[in-house]
Amino acid sequence: GGGTVKVTARCDQTLLSVKIAPEAVNPSDVAFLEELVLTAANQALAAAKETANKEMGSVTQGMSIPGLI
């Protein structure tokens, strides 16, 4: 894509929004658009998971909780 499809995800792994640029829509190549959406969604979910892990790390830093790690 090149940013023609953008997906925003929350840290709880739910999708917040999907934005599709008009130039990404080609009625004769729906499979390409589907691939762009799938890739953007997976990237957004991965970024949300990374953010959640960083946030959790900063909250639990220095804590010694038996069985947590």
Side-chain angles (χ1 to χ4, degrees), residues 36-66:
L36 289 175
V37 171
L38 182 61
T39 299
N42 284 328
Q43 289 174 344
L45 290 171
K49 185 174 184 177
E50 182 179 332
T51 299
N53 288 340
K54 285 180 184 176
E55 292 294 321
M56 183 57 80
S58 67
V59 169
T60 61
Q61 185 177 12
M63 298 176 101
S64 179
I65 303 171

Side-chain angles (χ1 to χ4, degrees), residues 11-53:
C11 292
D12 68 357
Q13 303 297 295
T14 59
L15 299 181
L16 180 64
S17 68
V18 176
K19 303 290 183 190
I20 300 173
E23 61 269 16
V25 180
N26 180 351
S28 65
D29 195 2
V30 174
F32 179 67
L33 179 56
E34 291 171 341
E35 184 64 33
L36 289 175
V37 171
L38 182 61
T39 299
N42 284 328
Q43 289 174 344
L45 290 171
K49 185 174 184 177
E50 182 179 332
T51 299
N53 288 340

